[in-house]
Each structure stands twice: as C-alpha cells, then as structure tokens.
Amino acid sequence: MTRQQDGGKCRVVVLISGSGTNLQALIDAAARDDASFSVCSVISNKPGAYGLARAGDAGIAAVAIDHRDYGDRETFDRALMEEIDCHRPDLVVLAGFMRILTPEFVRHYSGRLLNIHPSLLPKYQGLNTHARALEAGDPEHGVTVHFVTEELDGGPTIVQAAIPVKDDDTPDTLARRIQVQEHVIYPLAVSWFAEGRLRMVEDRCQLDGEFLPRSGHRIEN
C-alpha cells in the first residue's frame, strides 16, 4: 500500500550520507499544505552528516547508524532495516546514500525504494558522472529518479530531467545545474508514489495505470 494504514499521508524514511540537499527539497515539499507525504525519519550512515541537522531543524526524527561499527555489509543492512521498520514507512528514499545495498535489503523494500542518480541512465552508472559526460562530448546531461533493484543504478526509470551541456561547463558547473533539477524531480516522483499514481510492475514503471517508456517521464530544460 502507498499510504499510511490510518489513511494519512504516505510515510517516507530518507537515507543520507552527506549534506542532504535533496533531503531538504523533500522536507520543503512535505511542508506544503497540499503535500501527500511526510518525512517521518532521516537515517545516515555517517554521524557527522549535515543532513541530520536539517532533519532536526525540521523536527524530524534523525539517527546515525555508523556502518564502520559493523563487521560486514549484511550486518549493517539488517541493523538499518530494523531502524527503518520502526517507523512503518510506506516508502524509503535514498538521497545521497553512498552505500551499495545488499540484495536482502533491496528485496525487503521492493517496489517502495527510490534512488536519484546524476546522469541520464542507463548512461554513466556509478560515480563521476559529470566528468564522464564531458569527456564523452555529450550534448546533454541530466538526472534520473528510479526504483531500486539488485542491479546497481539499473532499476526502472521513473523520471529524467535533461539539460544542455555548455561549451564552458566543468564537472562542478554541470553538477550545480543538475542539482537544481534534482530538487524538482525527486519531490515530484515521491508525490506520484504517495498519491498512489506510481508503482513498479515487474521491471517497468506504471504512472496513472499506463506503462512509462524505458526512459521514464522526460523533462527537458
């Protein structure tokens, strides 16, 4: 189900590792009068992550579970799952969570686990996406929100935002321009899910009962 059992707003847990700019975009969207979701908890694998302070400022439960305290990835992910499930989330959102998740974790939240990746997937899975796009001479670059599956950065695409690459772009300038788009499309995708409009059906995305193209909903800038 995509809404809290009591008929209230969709409950969202956000996982972070850093400053939490996408988290802030979600917090701001959730604060609107017409919001269909609420951020009920923020969890970081890094105790010093600034995103935890953002959550605290917004009155949201925030906790760090340091992955370095665990002997292996599986043990950490089980501890993470236990903390997440305490909040009875309808949706789990990765917002700059810099950990590769175990298959057990991904299966546990299958169909209700979203990620944002700074490229027009399937191009440039992994890291250093902005530099790779520039090195390839791409005329456009962008960002993708997708459901998470066991394939790294390979789950069904929900929405993409594309921008033109400028002649004088650097990885830093491209990153800043892409980040503006991230803050638009992530709250959009979360709202679609919270409103019951979006779901994952096998390896495809359905929006309003219709299958999206493999590249998802496209926003040009």
Side-chain angles (χ1 to χ4, degrees), residues 170-193:
T170 67
D172 286 342
T173 62
L174 203 50
R176 286 194 293 270
R177 291 168 54 224
I178 291 296
Q179 192 174 71
V180 173
Q181 303 305 317
E182 293 177 10
H183 298 166
V184 173
I185 68 170
Y186 219 179
L188 177 64
V190 171
S191 294
W192 285 345
F193 185 94

Side-chain angles (χ1 to χ4, degrees), residues 155-218:
T157 293
I158 300 165
V159 57
Q160 293 186 326
I163 63 170
V165 176
K166 298 179 180 179
D167 292 340
D168 60 350
D169 264 326
T170 67
D172 286 342
T173 62
L174 203 50
R176 286 194 293 270
R177 291 168 54 224
I178 291 296
Q179 192 174 71
V180 173
Q181 303 305 317
E182 293 177 10
H183 298 166
V184 173
I185 68 170
Y186 219 179
L188 177 64
V190 171
S191 294
W192 285 345
F193 185 94
E195 293 161 6
R197 299 173 58 194
L198 172 70
R199 64 183 185 131
M200 185 174 77
V201 180
E202 296 181 354
D203 65 341
R204 298 286 300 277
C205 293
Q206 267 191 1
L207 181 63
D208 296 331
E210 300 289 335
F211 281 108
L212 290 171
R214 293 289 181 181
S215 58
H217 180 79
R218 177 90 168 191

